[in-house]
Amino acid sequence: MAFSTTPTSPTTPARFGLTVDQLHLLQSRCPGITLPGEFHSAWGAEVGDNERDERMLVAELGLIDQGLLRAAPTDAPTDDFAARVHPAVLGFLGLFTEPALLLAVHSWGGGRTIAQIIAVRAGFAASLVRGQRLDDHGSHPANEDAVELSAFPVSALIGETLRSLVRLEPKTSTPTPRGRPASVVLPLTLAQGMIGAIRTGSPEIIHAAALEVGLPQSEQVLTGPSFGIDAGYSVAATSLTGDALAVHWFRSADGWFQLSADTPLVGRIESTVDVVDSSRVRIDTTGPAAITGQVTTAIGSLLGVLRG
């Protein structure tokens, strides 16, 4: 598959696939490229020198076959690997070294987890995506030997951030009927008991928490997570301006809900007891459309700060 830097439209991302070994080769042989921790790899002690050399040769030939790397000249005294890499690839990966905005998107569901890191700078963005397969019990993750690298203008950032949420909500699915969105705020001490109730499915604890809150919709909100959580989606972002964002959503049999925590600022507390007494946990019922709107607003605000 030959690589092309020409998009089909101004907002269509340029995408191509790499193996983990190919990405490792690019990082190790191109000075100045610093990849996110989720995509950094290193050789294990059990991998011998011969196997390393063979795998790196296969990775290099694969990059050449895709048009991402020129073959080494036979008459050159030394091999300047970075000079042989397609300039666009170096530019895409270089965005991760010092981004103006860095987003981490994680999702899980359907026996698979997806990690996506997006770097934004000067109106352009690059994205790295990799997945893990889970067993039937949702555990024992196994890394997939594939990494997707994409590059796109900032105008496509929101759509790229929402890709893994769309995967969790196939078009053929029928949304669970639910009333108007509602929210419940619990003291941290009460929320700790709620976590145990959600894990064990103890309806009496959930009911007691609902009575404690005293809101008409509270039992509806608190009962949703107790039916079992089968998917999750989170977005975290940090910028050079110091702005940050971290939001987490989970899907139960009763629909999506958002879980967040508010704790007192450092300097306004005197003891651990004060932290516990002053902290609150918030649970909001929501849905894919509301999540999309929240992500759109949040990213739009962060980009607005960067532009001044």
Side-chain angles (χ1 to χ4, degrees):
M1 178 179 66
F3 172 65
S4 172
T5 59
T6 304
T8 56
S9 75
T11 58
T12 300
R15 304 193 199 280
F16 55 97
L18 301 172
T19 66
V20 173
D21 282 350
Q22 287 173 345
L23 186 62
H24 175 77
L25 178 63
L26 288 168
Q27 181 184 24
S28 61
R29 298 287 300 276
C30 298
I33 291 180
T34 304
L35 297 181
E38 292 90 339
F39 294 86
H40 179 80
S41 61
W43 295 112
E46 71 281 2
V47 181
D49 291 341
N50 290 338
E51 182 179 350
R52 295 184 189 186
D53 293 342
E54 182 178 352
R55 286 172 56 178
M56 288 299 93
L57 176 59
V58 171
E60 180 172 348
L61 293 176
L63 291 172
I64 294 172
D65 184 59
Q66 293 187 66
L68 308 180
L69 179 73
R70 296 196 311 272
T74 57
D75 56 348
T78 59
D79 178 20
D80 187 352
F81 182 90
R84 295 194 286 123
V85 178
H86 195 296
V89 175
L90 290 178
F92 298 161
L93 293 176
L95 289 178
F96 292 96
T97 302
E98 191 177 355
L101 177 65
L102 189 69
L103 293 96
V105 184
H106 294 87
S107 70
W108 58 272
R112 191 169 183 239
T113 66
I114 293 178
Q116 178 184 26
I117 306 297
I118 305 174
V120 181
R121 189 173 70 214
F124 295 94
S127 166
L128 284 169
V129 180
R130 70 179 304 178
Q132 292 179 322
R133 293 289 178 179
L134 306 176
D135 62 18
D136 293 338
H137 303 287
S139 57
H140 299 94
N143 291 329
E144 298 173 350
D145 186 27
V147 178
E148 177 194 83
L149 173 62
S150 303
F152 46 91
V154 167
S155 57
L157 177 60
I158 293 172
E160 291 297 297
T161 304
L162 291 167
R163 282 178 69 200
S164 59
L165 175 65
V166 173
R167 181 189 72 88
L168 295 174
E169 291 294 313
K171 295 179 180 180
T172 56
S173 66
T174 302
T176 303
R178 171 179 266 171
R180 297 176 60 186
S183 62
V184 170
V185 179
L186 299 171
L188 181 59
T189 50
L190 189 58
Q192 289 172 331
M194 273 297 304
I195 292 172
I198 290 171
R199 287 176 174 173
T200 59
S202 303
E204 65 278 2
I205 298 179
I206 297 171
H207 180 65
L211 293 177
E212 181 76 17
V213 175
L215 296 176
Q217 77 276 20
S218 57
E219 190 155 6
Q220 168 205 346
V221 177
L222 298 177
T223 302
S226 68
F227 287 115
I229 299 172
D230 60 14
Y233 172 75
S234 67
V235 177
T238 55
S239 73
L240 287 178
T241 59
D243 297 276
L245 164 74
V247 196
H248 310 275
W249 295 273
F250 303 91
R251 188 182 65 191
S252 71
D254 197 40
W256 285 90
F257 66 94
Q258 180 182 343
L259 187 65
S260 57
D262 294 320
T263 56
L265 296 175
V266 177
R268 298 184 181 180
I269 55 177
E270 297 180 358
S271 66
T272 304
V273 175
D274 290 337
V275 174
V276 174
D277 290 343
S278 303
S279 297
R280 297 290 183 269
V281 173
R282 182 184 180 101
I283 300 176
D284 299 88
T285 62
T286 186
I291 295 173
T292 298
Q294 193 170 349
V295 171
T296 300
T297 301
I299 292 180
S301 298
L302 288 170
L303 291 176
V305 171
L306 289 176
R307 292 166 182 159

